Amino acid sequence: MGKPIKPIVEEMLLPFLDAEGFELVDVEYVKEGSNWFLRVFVDKEGGIDIDECGRISEYLSQKLDETDPIPDAYFLEVSSPGAERPLKKADDYRRAVGSHVFITTYEPVGGLKEFEGLLESYNGEELVVRIGKKEHTIPFAKVASARLAIVF
């Protein structure tokens, strides 16, 4: 297999998304059972609707057909990241300050590997998450995954 799929798709899609005012949240190329899925998660200020997802899907599908970079048969899915959107980039973390988050770490930090609470701050080097009355400082390099979390 040649170049990884994710950067190819990002390169194809970013000029269109930027011109249309959309943000590329994530691209996944995963095998589930016997099927491959190319999933593209897109958002914009105020949220994205199904018609916009359809437009993005049509654009990307045409571009993929032109260059045919994926050797396997696959299903293309374009959607919103949803309410529990993943935090991937520095801007995602900055926007999430003041929100409820769920964070896992590669190794224990203060005896914990999972943190669910209010993201108090992010300075590029570390996150501060308040769980109840206690603040936990997490080195950014130790974050395995992070997402917004819904409080019920």
Side-chain angles (χ1 to χ4, degrees):
M1 190 159 137
K3 189 174 174 186
I5 303 303
K6 183 175 177 171
I8 292 170
V9 171
E10 289 174 350
E11 193 175 300
M12 279 180 190
L13 202 47
L14 280 172
F16 175 79
L17 295 178
D18 289 345
E20 297 287 321
F22 297 112
E23 173 196 0
L24 181 62
V25 176
D26 200 11
V27 174
E28 295 177 346
Y29 185 61
V30 294
K31 189 169 189 175
E32 294 179 2
S34 60
N35 296 316
W36 282 94
F37 291 87
L38 176 58
R39 292 193 177 109
V40 178
F41 297 94
V42 182
D43 208 357
K44 72 172 188 187
E45 191 72 37
I48 189 166
D49 66 34
I50 195 156
D51 292 333
E52 292 167 322
C53 288
R55 254 187 32 237
I56 295 164
S57 180
E58 285 176 27
Y59 173 86
L60 181 57
S61 187
Q62 180 182 348
K63 287 292 190 187
L64 290 167
D65 287 348
E66 287 171 11
T67 58
D68 200 23
I70 303 174
D72 312 294
Y74 61 92
F75 294 97
L76 173 61
E77 297 176 356
V78 175
S79 68
S80 157
E84 293 196 335
R85 127 183 220 158
L87 305 177
K88 300 273 185 181
K89 301 175 273 213
D91 281 347
D92 297 338
Y93 287 91
R94 284 188 198 95
R95 278 195 301 262
V97 170
S99 300
H100 200 79
V101 295
F102 179 76
I103 296 171
T104 61
T105 56
Y106 292 112
E107 58 190 53
V109 176
L112 299 173
K113 286 184 77 174
E114 291 186 351
F115 302 84
E116 184 168 349
L118 185 71
L119 181 58
E120 294 271 323
S121 67
Y122 166 70
N123 66 11
E125 300 290 320
E126 47 190 27
L127 309 159
V128 176
V129 177
R130 176 181 297 284
I131 303 172
K133 294 183 184 204
K134 187 168 187 335
E135 285 187 349
H136 300 268
T137 300
I138 305 164
F140 186 68
K142 292 188 179 182
V143 173
S145 70
R147 63 173 168 77
L148 294 177
I150 296 176
V151 181
F152 291 99

